[in-house]
Amino acid sequence: MSFIPVILWSDALVFLLLAAGIIAARYIRRHEHLRLPWRRVAQSGVAMVSLLVLALFTTIGLLDTLHFRTALPQSSSGEKIYSPEVLSVLDKGLEPLRTQTEKTYSAPFALQLYARESVTDEAGQIVREFPRLQYGGAHLADESQRTADVLQRGLIGALGGLIAGVLLVWLLRARLQLRSLRVAVPAVTMLIGMVASLAAVYHVLGTDKVGQDVLYLSLKSIRTGLIIGTVTTLVTLPLALFLGVAAGYFRGWVDDVIQYIYTVLSSIPSVLLIAAAVLMMQVTIDTHPDWFETSAARADLRLVALCFILGLTSWTGLCRLLRGEALKLRELEYIQAAQAFGVSSLRILTRHIMPNVMHIVLIALVMDFSALVLAEAVLSYVGVGVDPSMISFGTMINAARLEMGREPMVWWALAAAFGFMLILVLAANLFADAVRDAFDPRLNRS
Amino acid sequence: MKSILAVLVSVLLAACGGQWNNPYPAGDAGQAIFYTAFTERPKHLDPAQAYSENEYELLANIYAPPLQYHYLKRPYQLVPLAAREMPEVRYYDAQQRLLSADAPSQTVAFSVYEIHIKPGMRYQPHPAFVPENLHLSEAALRPVHTLADFAHTASRTVTAADYVYQIKRLVHPQLHTPIAGVMSEYIVGLKDYAAELQQAVKAHPAGFLDLNAYALPGVEVVDDTAYRVTIHGKYPQFTYWLAMPFFAPMPQEAERFYAQPGMQERNLSLDWWPVGSGPYYLSENDPNRRMVLRRNPHYQSETYPVEGEPGDAATGLLADAGKPLPLIDQVVFSLEKETIPYWNKFLQGYYDASGISSDSFDQAVQVGVSGEANVTDAMRAQGISLSTAVATSTMYTGFNWLDPAIGGSSERATKLRRAIAIAVDFEEFVSIFANGRGISAQSPIPPGIFGYREGCAGRDTYVYDCVNGEIRRKPVAEAQRLLAEAGYPNGVDAKTGQPLVIHLDTTANGVGNKSRLDWMRKQFDKIGVQLDVRSTDYNRFQDKIRRGDTQMFYFGWNADYPDPENFLFLLYGPQGKVKFGGENAANYSNPEYDQLFMQMKNMENGPARQAIIDRMQEILRHDSPWLWGFHPKNYVLQHAWLHNVKPNIMANNKLKYWRVDVQQREALRQQWNQPAGWPLALSAALVLLSCIWLWRVLQRREEG
Amino acid sequence: MIAYLIRRIFYALPILIGVNLLTFALFFVVNTPDDMARMQLGIKRVTPEAIEKWKEQRGYDKPLLLNSAASGTDKMTETIFWQKSASMFVFDFGYADDGRNISREIAARMGPSLAIALPTFLIGLIAYVSFALLMTLFRGTALDIAGVALCVVLMSISGLFYIIGGQFLVSKLWHWVPISGYGEGADALRFVLLPVLIGVVSGIGSSSRWYRTIFLEERSRDYVRTARAKGLSELRVLFTHVLKNAMIPILTGVVVVIPLLFMGSLLTESFFGIPGLGSYTIDAINAQDFSVVRAMVFLGSVLYIAGLILTDISYTLVDPRVRLS
């Protein structure tokens, strides 16, 4: 099957971030004084396990970032025509989960729909009953076999995962010195194995209102969350860094102007500012439908724009922090000396001031990540979040909120969003803590 | 933490004995109050401006127009409310000669409606009827914050002149009356009158505009209890308008009162504080929290109907026959923006009746073996019962007739639309999203409206088959065949090889709409067509519709009155949105249809009209400019203590017929809302234990 | 001091003008006055004349920023921007699109907002500080570690879940308080309890951790070591020295939000149906009611600036070395 790779805007930004990350990592490896704090991070068991979890999430997100369009099978005229549907490698990998949709709600591991339906039975009578699912557990004859089957499949999957995990640890034994990691890796692979083996025949986390697999939705949400958390920093970072440092270093009218800008921005209640900007962006997108070849491209641009807007409204805090730091730094003797020697301001800024505030930037970035992931859910509630057709934690929670009122309650979609979000944000928070501890010279490490 | 809990316990205990969660003040207990909710604050309460459902829910109980719909009888039937009897109509030709009642409609140049109102009807108590209050000084207004701050109120008798005054208000230059355009077409002289008023306002922009200083020839006062309305041509639907608050009486004092300086900035205006002669008046108006209707002490003109439909006596609907209305003293509307709290409060007994949202529906209703809806066992045990009625509205998806790909009368486009019509399975939509609360539509006309045909005879033959006397949607294979014939085998354009992409515009942005869009996409997937959903905000959507920049769009229509004309005009060519700014958002136009529409419009119901409507529907089904969608069903769930509830889609003034058994409500609420004590005890114990433990650890440390 | 205040207020003017311009620009790029009229007039039977009439009555028939038809200063003043902005600076917000007086609405809604926000703030402050003190007191023990872990978990949960979960448990299952709504006078207490509780709990994670860091930093200072060497008990050291000195960063960090308490909480208010300023704002966003949105933005900015000034003043109060000049 032939296909054409598609690079959406957000994909490009993710690749850019990835490249920047790799370059930064190589630079740090070559400089001992920069490596030192990272060593401290690497020695922390909690941090490394969080990193493992984050890496797992990032892998899923990256797989979901490799987009392509498949060619349509029948093209009468010689030229190749591609389907307007944009898929990702993750979609391909989860093909069964994506395409095996039921009619409506079904509980985790259920064999039947969650709602009764009128069915005509053999005698021609109309009866109300729970119809069997089209895919979930379709290989079983009836309910009684389920427990044994779930146990068996789960066990096999877990065993497979465990073996793979242990093998992995053994192969990397030289690198994996931490005991916590040696336990965590097999545990994670075991879980993956178990879920994979079960998800092949069941809806492990149930299905939503239109019968989509909740596990699939949750996995797809990861990319949205990660992008909001990372791409936003692409905007925040240069703005905050340059403006903050410039304001602190030059003082005078530069400082006045920059202070004015960020006071104006930060004095507007942020939800209102974001709402206004998002509405504006939406209008622009709506009035130019010809910009987008596919609906995925439109939803994607909206996501990117949301990141930019979040970035534009959230750089002020970091900027203020950096300004303060720069004010302090410029009074230091070696900078005074550099000035006396006539070193250009730009050089002083890039060579002396910026490297010395990098730890603040880093800490702020890792701390902001989780806040941004959480913010997405709230913004979607207010109606200014991601495109409604985009799968994200916010849209999942929003849809699931109404399901709480049903009885019997439809809890699984909410629980899945809660669980995945908690794991992601928790890992990010724990990792951020470790980074802060390692980099912040003020903290006493007793 | 401990202190919080202590406060919690004491406050809850002090607040309200047994029911900690009772959202109403303790003083309400034991009173004949009906509790309900409003989800959106009404924009207008001025009868000349209000037009939406949520506004009418209040207004219809406050104002008394000449006519109303009979509460119990079906099909819907107009009966007098403020009028003494049904108005008599006389037809005249262009030379003012009286014609017979059955004169052909082409010869009728004018129709004259003479309306006699009941004598002795009185307005609600209101400060505007106290003469001193019409000349208030700045100082006198200073202590006033709401209408209740006026010490004195008074009332007066309703006169025919008040009805005439309100008709004049429909074209008041400072008001936005949605039906001003329609009425100007019909009421003789209204258009010139509006122009005259416009001039007058330009000349004196600041002063009070006295509508009575200008003459409106089409509307005249006969005497204190009678007035006459003259209409161009024949327009039988006019009597329906007479049942809407647009034609309620309005005392000129009210306008003078609110026009005084300082009133507007205190939010005192007719738009917020109605002055009516109906069974209730608005005694409290806090649109952020609650609105309260109280019984109008001067309302004596009406009693509970003594006859209804055949089954009504058996179900107890006639138990109160002949009793003076209203039966409930007070109605409390609380603001409830979220569905879940609304639903839960209903279950706890704090709302007496509830419409149900789809998501709570499984809990409430199970569809019985024969297809009729019934409440679940759990709810029946609570005494909750259910009544249903198909709404006189339609939810459709229009195709833009002007769109080159999907619109127009070419065979290709027609087949494409029919293929989509078969593929989009609205029966499934209704079962997933509305829990069966609706029936799939076969044309724009919903059941209960003249022209609708039951069963197989009324089906859309292009989309449905008839199997054993039941309507059955054609198989998807048929849709695929049609699609291939249209030149898009498997959703790919046979000529260019490009996949077919269709755009759907909606305003669906909010909670829970994602699943609807996902579902829609699934339907198009069945025939291999790509659906691209473009959801936009309301303004942009309107804009696109106006410019005709859409392919498909979601829309709905709620009837003004139960007449097929009110539905079929939605597809009448000269109503085209893009060309004429009318209500035909699909911009559909078919000369034969348009001609039949003009013919059908002013006919009396009868076999001749039915024949024309049948033909019109056939044209529509053939061209299929809409996916007919479905007619939603309105459900009302009510508690055992609420009596005399019968769904009535047309009437909004239902509150006056209802009755509440207060003792029963009190007892059941008490039983359902026993607070759970164990979590309190548990957390208190936990806090206590951890305090002790902490203390001991600390002591040990200090020692060691 | 007085001179300082006057100067700060004077500085606030350009900021408010900037805020005003920005909101104006953002809003009118999105919406034309025609859109606003259509939004307000509804969906059925709306004629172009009705839209013109609506615009004329509300003063939206003028040009946006520059009136080229007028002469002299009228070029600037006979515009929507000038007409709608000038009155704002004397706190006359005019009328909302639905015809209600905005100033009155704000006055009426401030009460409920404060009734939620103030107790949440105060109880929260006390609870977070006590919890942080507790963790500091038991520094290094299992309690401390468990406390920090709990904080991290709590702050990793989206605020939406606290509200959904709290409403479900407390109101629906346990029947303790009304599910939503608001009452007058003492009756309001029952409606306020749950939102306040949820507000306090949802903030525990991040705030307690922050206070803990401050306390730990303070505890590692020399004077504390001296005090301990003098033989003071740990408890006394903590309360008399650490807490007292940590008050400076705590106070100054907290003062800035006090004026913003008036603005209410968007989420809590709309979930619990509390008629405060937060739900007013959300409604205005959804209804795209420009007059209300910009009034709220203006109010928010004023309060934010007030918070900054208050912070400066509180510095001088807690730390006599700081002088305002």
Side-chain angles (χ1 to χ4, degrees):
Chain A
M1 188 186 247
S2 62
F3 62 90
I4 176 176
V6 176
I7 297 186
L8 301 171
W9 275 102
S10 60
D11 300 346
L13 292 172
V14 168
F15 295 139
L16 188 71
L17 264 176
L18 202 65
I22 291 171
I23 291 170
R26 296 187 59 166
Y27 182 80
I28 290 167
R29 278 174 72 93
R30 269 185 269 126
H31 294 78
E32 188 53 35
H33 70 282
L34 293 174
R35 277 178 76 171
L36 198 69
W38 286 108
R39 282 247 174 80
R40 280 200 290 268
V41 175
Q43 277 155 13
S44 152
V46 177
M48 292 322 280
V49 173
S50 315
L51 192 63
L52 176 71
V53 174
L54 285 178
L56 194 68
F57 275 66
T58 313
T59 314
I60 294 171
L62 281 177
L63 286 179
D64 203 10
T65 297
L66 300 169
H67 286 111
F68 60 88
R69 283 159 70 180
T70 51
L72 291 174
Q74 75 279 49
S75 53
S76 49
S77 61
E79 80 180 298
K80 271 220 171 90
I81 306 275
Y82 295 97
S83 152
E85 193 178 13
V86 176
L87 292 176
S88 73
V89 174
L90 185 76
D91 289 331
K92 209 72 202 154
L94 301 176
E95 184 88 355
L97 289 187
R98 185 171 67 88
T99 50
Q100 297 181 351
T101 56
E102 308 292 345
K103 189 177 167 195
T104 180
Y105 292 116
S106 66
F109 294 109
L111 301 186
Q112 286 151 343
L113 279 186
Y114 204 56
R116 280 180 211 272
E117 251 175 35
S118 303
V119 184
T120 318
D121 65 4
E122 297 87 35
Q125 289 277 311
I126 298 171
V127 283
R128 298 280 300 170
E129 59 172 35
F130 298 104
R132 274 294 291 264
L133 294 181
Q134 217 176 333
Y135 302 101
H139 61 294
L140 298 180
D142 64 83
E143 193 94 38
S144 60
Q145 303 169 345
R146 190 179 57 178
T147 322
D149 187 65
V150 168
L151 278 179
Q152 189 194 342
R153 278 171 193 275
L155 223 58
I156 291 174
L159 215 63
L162 190 66
I163 292 167
V166 170
L167 217 63
L168 198 68
V169 171
W170 186 74
L171 281 175
L172 298 172
R173 63 187 178 283
R175 294 242 144 171
L176 294 176
Q177 298 290 354
L178 281 172
R179 191 184 306 147
S180 50
L181 266 188
R182 290 186 169 179
V183 176
V185 170
V188 168
T189 51
M190 193 171 91
L191 194 69
I192 295 174
M194 196 162 81
V195 171
S197 139
L198 286 168
V201 285
Y202 293 103
H203 296 291
V204 176
L205 295 176
T207 55
D208 74 351
K209 192 165 189 166
V210 287
Q212 299 183 83
D213 190 279
V214 173
L215 177 65
Y216 172 72
L217 295 178
S218 312
L219 291 175
K220 289 286 280 182
S221 303
I222 291 173
R223 176 178 183 266
T224 318
L226 288 177
I227 284 190
I228 297 250
T230 53
V231 173
T232 304
T233 58
L234 265 185
V235 187
T236 320
L237 193 61
L239 272 177
L241 192 59
F242 285 108
L243 294 182
V245 171
Y249 179 75
F250 292 113
R251 307 214 294 207
W253 67 270
V254 178
D255 190 19
D256 286 343
V257 170
I258 292 171
Q259 273 206 66
Y260 174 73
I261 295 174
Y262 77 60
T263 318
V264 166
L265 275 181
S266 55
S267 74
I268 299 179
S270 60
V271 177
L272 287 174
L273 189 59
I274 293 170
V278 166
L279 285 175
M280 189 177 85
M281 170 263 297
Q282 219 172 307
V283 169
T284 319
I285 290 178
D286 287 345
T287 42
H288 298 96
D290 44 312
W291 289 357
F292 311 100
E293 209 175 327
T294 57
S295 56
R298 193 176 54 234
D300 180 75
L301 193 79
R302 193 170 155 173
L303 175 66
V304 172
L306 183 67
C307 291
F308 272 75
I309 290 165
L310 281 173
L312 280 176
T313 52
S314 63
W315 59 276
T316 50
L318 181 57
C319 182
R320 189 193 307 268
L321 216 63
L322 291 176
R323 174 179 166 271
E325 199 63 22
L327 272 176
K328 260 189 265 166
L329 284 175
R330 80 185 297 277
E331 303 299 333
L332 292 184
E333 280 152 12
Y334 72 100
I335 294 202
Q336 300 277 348
Q339 276 174 336
F341 283 122
V343 181
S344 79
S345 298
L346 194 68
R347 209 176 152 74
I348 294 180
L349 277 183
T350 50
R351 303 291 300 181
H352 300 296
I353 302 225
M354 282 195 190
N356 281 306
V357 297
M358 267 323 194
H359 67 280
I360 297 183
V361 173
L362 189 76
I363 292 168
L365 291 191
V366 287
M367 301 291 276
D368 275 359
F369 173 82
S370 43
L372 286 167
V373 174
L374 294 177
E376 189 267 327
V378 173
L379 288 179
S380 291
Y381 171 76
V382 186
V384 291
V386 297
D387 193 89
S389 68
M390 182 143 234
I391 303 169
S392 80
F393 289 125
T395 46
M396 268 177 86
I397 295 172
N398 247 343
R401 212 163 49 80
L402 290 180
E403 292 161 4
M404 292 286 285
R406 297 179 81 107
E407 200 142 320
M409 199 165 59
V410 177
W411 49 268
W412 47 89
L414 199 67
F418 175 80
F420 273 81
M421 241 176 128
L422 180 66
I423 294 171
L424 175 62
V425 177
L426 190 61
N429 274 334
L430 290 173
F431 185 68
D433 271 3
V435 170
R436 194 186 51 180
D437 287 348
F439 279 85
D440 197 336
R442 286 184 311 151
L443 276 184
N444 63 330
R445 267 170 243 100
S446 50
Chain B
M1 216 49 203
K2 214 163 36 168
S3 61
I4 300 176
L5 281 173
V7 171
L8 194 100
V9 174
S10 63
V11 164
L12 286 173
L13 287 176
C16 46
Q19 300 158 35
W20 296 357
N21 61 350
N22 188 340
Y24 306 114
D28 276 10
Q31 292 190 49
I33 303 176
F34 176 74
Y35 295 101
T36 183
F38 64 109
T39 49
E40 197 186 342
R41 57 153 69 179
K43 280 180 180 157
H44 302 289
L45 292 177
D46 182 336
Q49 304 201 66
Y51 198 28
S52 51
E53 189 90 0
N54 64 328
E55 292 158 359
Y56 276 9
E57 228 159 85
L58 284 159
L59 276 192
N61 298 299
I62 297 170
Y63 285 101
L67 305 179
Q68 65 178 340
Y69 290 91
H70 194 283
Y71 181 53
L72 300 172
K73 286 186 186 163
R74 300 289 178 279
Y76 297 109
Q77 185 187 339
L78 284 173
V79 291
L81 173 60
R84 214 163 50 203
E85 69 264 318
M86 290 301 287
E88 45 183 300
V89 198
R90 281 189 303 258
Y91 300 117
Y92 294 88
D93 68 2
Q95 282 76 43
Q96 305 286 349
R97 282 174 306 204
L98 186 64
L99 298 169
S100 63
D102 51 357
S105 54
Q106 303 88 280
T107 58
V108 176
F110 301 102
S111 330
V112 176
Y113 289 78
E114 186 160 312
I115 299 150
H116 293 268
I117 58 166
K118 293 176 187 164
M121 290 185 300
R122 290 175 72 77
Y123 284 106
Q124 65 173 79
H126 194 277
F129 296 118
V130 180
E132 303 84 79
N133 283 344
L134 296 182
H135 317 281
L136 287 168
S137 63
E138 193 69 18
L141 261 180
R142 202 156 298 137
V144 171
H145 297 288
T146 94
L147 207 60
D149 293 335
F150 286 97
H152 301 288
T153 60
S155 174
R156 78 160 166 84
T157 311
V158 179
T159 65
D162 298 336
Y163 284 88
V164 172
Y165 187 74
Q166 168 68 6
I167 296 177
K168 289 180 168 176
R169 287 184 78 239
L170 293 181
V171 290
H172 194 296
Q174 264 124 31
L175 301 177
H176 308 280
T177 308
I179 63 162
V182 186
M183 285 304 134
S184 299
E185 300 284 306
Y186 288 110
I187 297 180
V188 173
L190 197 62
K191 209 175 259 173
D192 297 334
Y193 181 73
E196 212 177 334
L197 293 182
Q198 206 82 45
Q199 292 287 321
V201 167
K202 283 237 172 69
H204 306 280
F208 176 77
L209 178 66
D210 185 2
L211 299 179
N212 285 337
Y214 306 89
L216 173 58
V219 184
E220 51 193 317
V221 179
V222 179
D223 57 41
D224 265 2
T225 60
Y227 65 104
R228 220 176 270 140
V229 183
T230 312
I231 286 205
H232 286 295
K234 192 173 170 184
Y235 184 45
Q237 287 89 353
F238 183 67
T239 44
Y240 292 123
W241 291 111
L242 288 177
M244 294 172 83
F246 292 118
F247 288 88
M250 177 59 67
Q252 202 192 20
E253 296 94 312
E255 267 209 331
R256 284 193 186 277
F257 175 75
Y258 288 124
Q260 298 178 85
M263 286 288 182
Q264 179 70 31
E265 66 173 74
R266 288 176 170 76
N267 294 330
L268 297 177
S269 72
L270 260 181
D271 237 1
W272 288 109
W273 294 101
V275 186
S277 56
Y280 293 97
Y281 70 97
L282 191 63
S283 68
E284 196 181 311
N285 182 354
D286 178 358
N288 307 327
R289 204 161 72 77
R290 62 185 220 147
M291 312 235 221
V292 178
L293 294 182
R294 252 172 232 280
R295 173 201 288 271
N296 173 4
H298 307 301
Y299 190 77
Q300 276 137 1
S301 51
E302 217 188 349
T303 52
Y304 195 94
V306 289
E307 50 183 306
E309 270 190 302
D312 286 347
T315 47
L317 281 171
L318 290 175
D320 291 313
K323 286 195 186 150
L325 297 179
L327 299 172
I328 294 170
D329 293 334
Q330 198 179 332
V331 183
V332 175
F333 291 82
S334 310
L335 181 64
E336 204 68 81
K337 276 189 271 187
E338 303 272 338
T339 15
I340 307 246
Y342 185 6
W343 174 243
N344 285 332
K345 277 188 191 168
F346 169 72
L347 287 184
Q348 293 175 344
Y350 295 122
Y351 288 126
D352 297 324
S354 159
I356 20 186
S357 74
S358 152
D359 281 288
S360 343
F361 192 65
D362 280 354
Q363 177 173 6
V365 180
Q366 59 191 26
V367 178
V369 173
S370 52
E372 92 278 14
N374 224 327
V375 291
T376 59
D377 296 340
M379 302 196 72
R380 198 171 304 122
Q382 264 188 297
I384 295 170
S385 62
L386 170 90
S387 32
T388 66
V390 182
T392 48
S393 54
T394 184
M395 307 296 294
Y396 64 91
T397 311
F399 294 105
N400 181 10
W401 200 250
L402 303 176
D403 184 79
I406 207 165
S409 53
S410 70
E411 196 185 321
R412 178 196 57 79
T414 308
K415 283 196 166 145
L416 174 57
R417 285 194 301 268
R418 274 189 218 150
I420 295 173
I422 295 173
V424 181
D425 185 349
F426 273 101
E427 290 81 60
E428 187 179 293
F429 183 93
V430 169
S431 92
I432 293 181
F433 295 102
N435 284 304
R437 288 186 304 160
I439 56 168
S440 44
Q442 309 293 327
S443 82
I445 301 178
I449 303 289
F450 182 80
Y452 177 82
R453 279 184 189 274
E454 285 282 340
C456 273
R459 77 178 195 280
D460 181 342
T461 47
Y462 300 94
V463 181
Y464 292 91
D465 287 326
C466 193
V467 180
N468 301 333
E470 271 186 54
I471 298 181
R472 186 77 50 83
R473 182 171 285 272
K474 286 186 195 282
V476 175
E478 173 73 9
Q480 283 161 339
R481 194 182 58 77
L482 280 168
L483 196 65
E485 281 180 26
Y488 305 97
N490 295 320
V492 177
D493 190 328
K495 281 198 209 94
T496 62
Q498 291 288 351
L500 178 62
V501 181
I502 291 174
H503 305 287
L504 171 74
D505 285 291
T506 96
T507 53
N509 251 331
V511 180
N513 279 317
K514 184 176 179 303
S515 48
R516 272 166 217 235
L517 304 181
D518 287 341
W519 177 86
M520 205 59 169
R521 222 171 279 132
K522 253 168 80 178
Q523 304 305 307
F524 278 73
D525 272 349
K526 284 194 220 159
I527 51 171
V529 177
Q530 293 284 333
L531 181 73
D532 178 19
V533 180
R534 301 188 288 205
S535 43
T536 53
D537 68 342
Y538 179 75
N539 280 334
R540 226 53 49 199
F541 179 74
Q542 288 279 80
D543 204 46
K544 280 183 180 172
I545 297 278
R546 220 176 46 254
R547 285 185 287 113
D549 184 18
T550 59
Q551 285 194 311
M552 290 175 71
F553 54 90
Y554 268 144
F555 237 165
W557 178 258
N558 205 351
D560 293 310
Y561 42 79
D563 191 89
E565 181 261 348
N566 203 254
F567 287 93
L568 294 174
F569 94 108
L570 294 172
L571 286 158
Y572 178 52
Q575 279 283 342
K577 194 83 174 181
V578 174
K579 288 201 194 102
F580 310 100
E583 298 294 335
N584 177 359
N587 300 301
Y588 174 71
S589 116
N590 178 319
E592 189 194 350
Y593 179 89
D594 292 350
Q595 184 240 324
L596 286 172
F597 176 80
M598 284 313 285
Q599 207 181 328
M600 175 279 304
K601 203 173 110 178
N602 295 338
M603 283 169 83
E604 305 283 349
N605 287 346
R609 200 177 194 213
Q610 179 74 53
I612 295 179
I613 291 173
D614 285 347
R615 175 67 199 137
M616 289 174 77
Q617 288 183 320
E618 174 53 29
I619 295 173
L620 290 181
R621 286 165 185 160
H622 174 273
D623 288 348
S624 81
W626 289 0
L627 301 180
W628 306 123
F630 65 103
H631 307 299
K633 263 188 199 169
N634 286 6
Y635 277 77
V636 181
L637 279 172
Q638 77 205 59
H639 282 296
W641 57 76
L642 185 64
H643 299 281
N644 300 342
V645 175
K646 179 169 181 175
N648 185 326
I649 305 298
M650 293 318 297
N652 287 302
N653 56 355
K654 291 168 279 199
L655 289 175
K656 59 184 176 188
Y657 303 105
W658 295 357
R659 183 164 53 81
V660 171
D661 183 339
V662 180
Q663 269 83 35
Q664 192 185 2
R665 173 164 74 188
E666 200 51 45
L668 285 175
R669 274 188 188 172
Q670 192 72 37
Q671 187 187 329
W672 294 341
N673 292 294
Q674 286 306 316
W678 63 266
L680 264 188
L682 191 71
S683 40
L686 267 178
V687 169
L688 205 69
L689 276 178
S690 46
C691 280
I692 296 170
W693 178 71
L694 281 178
W695 184 248
R696 298 219 6 223
V697 171
L698 207 62
Q699 292 261 301
R700 220 175 302 142
R701 266 185 156 202
E702 295 289 302
E703 286 158 14
Chain C
M1 183 80 171
I2 302 283
Y4 166 81
L5 275 183
I6 290 173
R7 212 175 55 243
R8 280 303 294 256
I9 290 167
F10 189 67
Y11 279 155
L13 273 181
I15 291 174
L16 289 178
I17 292 173
V19 166
N20 221 333
L21 252 167
L22 191 66
T23 17
F24 187 83
L26 277 177
F27 195 89
F28 277 104
V29 168
V30 179
N31 279 317
T32 60
D34 284 53
D35 288 336
M36 297 168 65
R38 238 170 271 128
M39 189 88 184
Q40 206 53 35
L41 291 175
I43 196 159
K44 282 166 93 179
R45 302 181 194 272
V46 179
T47 57
E49 295 84 60
I51 288 173
E52 284 308 313
K53 205 158 90 176
W54 188 92
K55 278 169 26 188
E56 194 187 318
Q57 272 174 28
R58 322 256 151 161
Y60 283 115
D61 53 343
K62 298 189 173 68
L64 287 178
L65 272 174
L66 191 73
N67 192 345
S68 45
S71 60
T73 51
D74 279 2
K75 266 195 196 313
M76 290 298 293
T77 54
E78 282 299 307
T79 58
I80 297 182
F81 178 68
W82 183 272
Q83 301 269 322
K84 301 272 163 188
S85 299
S87 56
M88 199 107 86
F89 284 86
V90 288
F91 290 93
D92 173 12
F93 296 124
Y95 292 90
D97 285 351
D98 63 2
R100 284 177 78 88
N101 187 310
I102 297 179
S103 307
R104 263 175 195 270
E105 197 86 351
I106 289 178
R109 282 169 174 270
M110 225 168 224
S113 273
L114 273 185
I116 304 283
L118 204 63
T120 310
F121 173 74
L122 289 177
I123 297 175
L125 193 63
I126 295 168
Y128 306 152
V129 168
S130 336
F131 192 43
L133 271 177
L134 208 66
M135 283 192 284
T136 324
L137 188 62
F138 291 91
R139 168 105 177 101
T141 65
L143 185 84
D144 182 33
I145 294 166
V148 174
L150 183 72
C151 283
V152 180
V153 173
L154 284 180
M155 67 189 271
S156 302
I157 296 173
S158 168
L160 291 168
F161 286 111
Y162 286 108
I163 299 179
I164 296 171
Q167 246 177 354
F168 181 76
L169 278 185
V170 177
S171 302
K172 193 178 174 194
L173 283 189
W174 297 342
H175 301 135
W176 282 2
V177 289
I179 290 169
S180 66
Y182 192 72
E184 263 151 19
D187 204 32
L189 212 52
R190 292 185 300 134
F191 295 93
V192 161
L193 269 175
L194 185 60
V196 168
L197 189 73
I198 288 175
V200 170
V201 170
S202 63
I204 263 186
S206 49
S207 304
S208 300
R209 240 165 55 109
W210 184 53
Y211 294 138
R212 176 177 167 274
T213 328
I214 293 176
F215 290 142
L216 284 184
E217 210 168 300
E218 216 46 58
R219 211 177 81 141
S220 65
R221 287 185 200 275
D222 290 341
Y223 70 90
V224 176
R225 231 168 284 157
T226 323
R228 225 180 272 144
K230 276 198 301 191
L232 287 181
S233 79
E234 188 67 33
L235 216 56
R236 173 157 289 180
V237 171
L238 211 56
F239 277 98
T240 52
H241 293 282
V242 174
L243 185 59
K244 205 172 131 205
N245 284 293
M247 272 336 252
I248 298 174
I250 291 178
L251 261 187
T252 48
V254 139
V255 162
V256 71
V257 303
I258 292 178
L260 287 173
L261 292 179
F262 284 96
M263 297 289 288
S265 147
L266 299 182
L267 281 188
T268 315
E269 285 181 16
S270 53
F271 265 98
F272 286 97
I274 285 156
L277 287 174
S279 51
Y280 193 42
T281 313
I282 285 225
D283 289 353
I285 294 178
N286 288 335
Q288 300 185 8
D289 188 328
F290 175 57
S291 325
V292 179
V293 169
R294 78 200 243 110
M296 293 309 291
V297 168
F298 187 82
L299 192 68
S301 315
V302 169
L303 292 173
Y304 177 79
I305 293 169
L308 291 184
I309 299 176
L310 273 184
T311 310
D312 285 349
I313 296 173
S314 70
Y315 266 121
T316 60
L317 292 183
V318 291
D319 190 347
R321 283 169 303 176
V322 178
R323 283 250 160 73
L324 296 176
S325 54

